[in-house]
Amino acid sequence: MAKQDNVSVQQRQYLRREKRYARRVLLCQLGLLIAFLILWEVAGRLGWIDPFIFSGPSRIWQTTRALWNEGLLRHVAVTVGETLAGFLLGALVGTGLAVLLWFSPFLSRVGEPYLVVLNSLPKIALGPVIIVIAGAGTRAIVLMALAISLIVTVLEMLGGFHRTDAELIRMARSFGAGRAQIFRYIVFPYNVPTLFGSLKINIGLSLVGVIAGEFLVSRAGLGYLIVYGGQVFRLDLVMTGVTILTVVAALMYESVALLQKWVMRRYGH
Amino acid sequence: MECLRLEHIGQIYHAHNGEETAIRDVSFTVEKGELLSIVGPSGCGKSTLLSIVAGLLPPTSGQVFLGGEPLRGYSPRIGYMLQKDNLLEWLTIYQNTLLGLRIRHTLTPRTRMRAETLLRTYGLWPFRDRFPSQLSGGMRQRAALIRTLAVSPDVLLLDEAFSALDYQTRLEVTDDVYAILKQEGVTTLMVTHDIPESISMGDRVLVLSGRPAVVREILPIVFEGGARTPLFCREHPAFTGYFQHIWKELSAHGETG
């Protein structure tokens, strides 16, 4: 590990090079975004694309401002709330099931083909059934998000549990650890990174579930805005919805990433 | 005084494509406070033998006795140290050394004190709040040894405990560990494929054959003059004699490599 207090010229140069490189990457990333926005705007104004269908940055900005006064935040809050609910449920139930399957290799073997099939099944196809069971409302939307993220979580977590360093488990067993202790002291902490990996995937999946759910049944939320915009042929509204959704998804992902950093630092990984 | 005794231990592995005899009729005893090193070609079943003594693997036949009593499965009187240090990267060195006590539900102020004393005695106290990744390979190995000794085992099993280290570190750690074991008076059963290591550490060396493993010879190691440390042994004139003897013993019995 490099000492920070007595830095050589070469080390300083190295750090400066690294910093410059990172800045160049960031600059290019921003440049790409700005270029895209400008191209989009110009293409619309010069008639290369139909702004009525493809909208444009300035139109989206105006629509956003108009929506702000009509309670945009409420729509965002509804979608974020539903996503979080589905996400947390998926993570909890999924991890719980994975733990259960880890504890019983027999159950795990028996359940394997079902998990594989359920994993490849498009869960959105279950939409009508979910609506009939849970009613046309928030509950159906959350269930949809849960359905989409659950099996992936189970598979991810179970896979992680099984990939735990066998030598560490052997070490714990050499102290007489039972299965519960092996899980508590070795397998679970070992898989904190796996957990966060699956949480990151789940944020995206839950959003898919929520938006699909809102398409089917809802009177609020970003999915509702998008579907409504399509129905009344206000495609500005659709594009605005999609844009805000992108931002929301990015922010939620970043929050998980930040939480991961924080937990990992405390855990000393 | 006899501490550990193995009687007619045999082990047969079963798999879909047939069965294989890993160990056949192995018997020996380890005296209290003694360090017995077992040397044999790679894959001859040395680790299997230790797994059996550690109670992680029930033998197909035979019986292990600890202090004259038959050993059935896992015993808290046996400490087992594996090839890798297996320190948990998410715990500090201090927490790592307490792991065995935690698992055994024997973490009391008294046992905690013992762990702390071991950390102090063997130079890891200043590093107790570091994480394993911040320590050198030798220090990590020492921390792993302290974790094993913290549970106060009567018998310590060392399974190729130094082979993951580079040569330089290995010589240092061997000296280190030897000193610790002798100071704590732990009865030790050590497995290695490294002949110089088996000679420099062992009070006696047990030579195993290739699969299926049987006992070829049990050779008492005596170095005269001076305080015995592994490095001292390696430089002793008698060392080469032992080495050649064991080398011949290992290669004379159809070991093709």
Side-chain angles (χ1 to χ4, degrees), chain B residues 97-117:
Chain B
T97 51
L98 296 184
L99 184 73
L101 295 168
R102 285 231 160 82
I103 288 176
R104 289 187 179 174
H105 306 291
T106 51
L107 184 61
T108 61
R110 208 174 55 84
T111 56
R112 183 189 286 268
M113 191 99 101
R114 172 169 164 81
E116 288 177 4
T117 307

Side-chain angles (χ1 to χ4, degrees), chain A residues 41-204:
Chain A
E41 184 67 33
V42 170
R45 296 207 175 191
L46 296 183
W48 299 345
I49 55 171
D50 187 350
F52 179 71
I53 294 173
F54 292 104
S55 192
S58 61
R59 294 174 74 121
I60 287 175
W61 177 243
Q62 277 159 18
T63 314
T64 309
R65 282 178 54 183
L67 275 176
W68 186 268
N69 299 324
E70 294 165 30
L72 172 65
L73 276 186
R74 194 173 62 89
H75 290 292
V76 173
V78 165
T79 298
V80 169
E82 287 163 348
T83 307
L84 278 182
F87 165 74
L88 290 176
L89 265 178
L92 272 171
V93 178
T95 307
L97 280 175
V99 172
L100 195 74
L101 290 176
W102 182 81
F103 266 90
S104 165
F106 181 74
L107 254 180
S108 177
R109 273 289 271 283
V110 171
E112 201 187 329
Y114 294 96
L115 281 176
V116 170
V117 170
L118 280 177
N119 187 39
S120 38
L121 173 86
K123 265 69 71 178
I124 296 181
L126 291 173
V129 183
I130 290 177
I131 291 167
V132 169
I133 294 171
T138 310
R139 267 206 301 178
I141 295 170
V142 173
L143 268 181
M144 189 80 107
L146 175 65
I148 288 187
S149 59
L150 182 66
I151 305 297
V152 180
T153 311
V154 175
L155 287 174
E156 267 294 296
M157 291 312 293
L158 188 60
F161 291 163
H162 283 150
R163 280 190 303 274
T164 306
D165 190 345
E167 283 290 297
L168 293 183
I169 293 176
R170 225 172 121 77
M171 180 273 292
R173 282 186 62 208
S174 79
F175 286 112
R179 216 157 162 79
Q181 282 183 315
I182 289 174
F183 185 78
R184 180 179 155 200
Y185 289 115
I186 313 287
V187 175
F188 188 76
Y190 188 87
N191 279 289
V192 169
T194 318
L195 180 64
F196 276 104
S198 97
L199 288 185
K200 281 177 176 170
I201 299 171
N202 270 357
I203 275 285

Side-chain angles (χ1 to χ4, degrees), chain A residues 1 165 167-168 170-177 181 185-186 189-190 266-269, chain B residues 51 56 74 80 82 84 86 88-90 99-100 102-105 131 134 147-148 151:
Chain A
M1 218 174 285
D165 190 345
E167 283 290 297
L168 293 183
R170 225 172 121 77
M171 180 273 292
R173 282 186 62 208
S174 79
F175 286 112
Q181 282 183 315
Y185 289 115
I186 313 287
Y190 188 87
R266 304 207 73 195
Y267 247 132
H269 264 289
Chain B
S51 290
L56 298 180
Y74 167 77
Y80 191 8
L82 301 153
K84 291 200 316 182
N86 290 310
L88 304 181
E89 299 292 342
W90 54 88
L99 184 73
R102 285 231 160 82
I103 288 176
R104 289 187 179 174
H105 306 291
F131 287 99
Q134 297 169 297
R147 175 183 62 197
T148 309
V151 296

Side-chain angles (χ1 to χ4, degrees), chain B:
Chain B
M1 202 175 87
E2 169 196 305
C3 182
L4 184 73
R5 186 168 84 244
L6 276 72
E7 268 185 12
H8 310 297
I9 294 293
Q11 184 66 39
I12 297 172
Y13 279 122
H14 296 276
H16 288 297
N17 52 2
E19 55 179 19
E20 198 195 347
T21 307
I23 298 172
R24 181 185 294 155
D25 195 29
V26 166
S27 305
F28 61 86
T29 58
V30 188
E31 301 295 315
K32 195 164 167 45
E34 181 189 33
L35 200 157
L36 179 74
S37 51
I38 299 178
V39 67
S42 293
C44 75
K46 304 184 295 273
S47 294
T48 305
L49 201 57
L50 282 198
S51 290
I52 290 171
V53 179
L56 298 180
L57 184 73
T60 312
S61 55
Q63 178 70 56
V64 180
F65 296 87
L66 181 61
E69 285 166 40
L71 204 60
R72 285 192 186 79
Y74 167 77
S75 161
R77 294 164 63 193
I78 289 180
Y80 191 8
M81 202 166 131
L82 301 153
Q83 185 168 354
K84 291 200 316 182
D85 54 58
N86 290 310
L87 295 175
L88 304 181
E89 299 292 342
W90 54 88
L91 295 181
T92 60
I93 293 302
Y94 183 66
Q95 294 301 330
N96 260 298
T97 51
L98 296 184
L99 184 73
L101 295 168
R102 285 231 160 82
I103 288 176
R104 289 187 179 174
H105 306 291
T106 51
L107 184 61
T108 61
R110 208 174 55 84
T111 56
R112 183 189 286 268
M113 191 99 101
R114 172 169 164 81
E116 288 177 4
T117 307
L118 285 167
L119 279 171
R120 280 206 182 85
T121 313
Y122 302 116
L124 283 181
W125 185 250
F127 303 96
R128 64 190 182 283
D129 292 326
R130 302 274 184 91
F131 287 99
S133 59
Q134 297 169 297
L135 264 61
S136 68
M139 284 162 104
R140 291 177 62 122
Q141 206 65 20
R142 225 183 304 156
L145 181 62
I146 291 174
R147 175 183 62 197
T148 309
L149 293 180
V151 296
S152 309
D154 294 341
V155 176
L156 178 69
L157 310 175
L158 292 179
D159 189 358
E160 303 269 7
F162 315 111
S163 57
L165 302 168
D166 61 80
Y167 191 70
Q168 184 70 32
T169 315
R170 189 169 171 170
L171 289 185
E172 283 166 22
V173 172
T174 313
D175 250 26
D176 234 24
V177 168
Y178 185 83
I180 295 174
L181 294 180
K182 286 300 168 187
Q183 195 169 329
E184 303 292 324
V186 195
T187 308
T188 307
L189 185 57
M190 178 182 103
V191 145
T192 179
H193 63 262
D194 185 300
I195 302 173
E197 194 168 281
S198 70
I199 302 167
S200 65
M201 296 223 15
D203 295 314
R204 288 187 297 154
V205 175
L206 186 153
V207 184
L208 276 184
S209 70
R211 272 196 182 210
V214 297
V215 180
R216 283 282 168 226
E217 188 183 11
I218 299 180
L219 185 68
I221 307 285
V222 183
F223 289 106
E224 276 165 7
R228 193 181 156 165
T229 70
L231 270 180
F232 168 79
C233 298
R234 279 174 194 263
E235 285 157 7
H236 199 279
F239 188 85
T240 323
Y242 286 127
F243 181 89
Q244 271 162 4
H245 184 94
I246 295 174
W247 172 257
K248 274 194 201 118
E249 190 67 45
L250 275 173
S251 45
H253 296 279
E255 247 299 296
T256 44

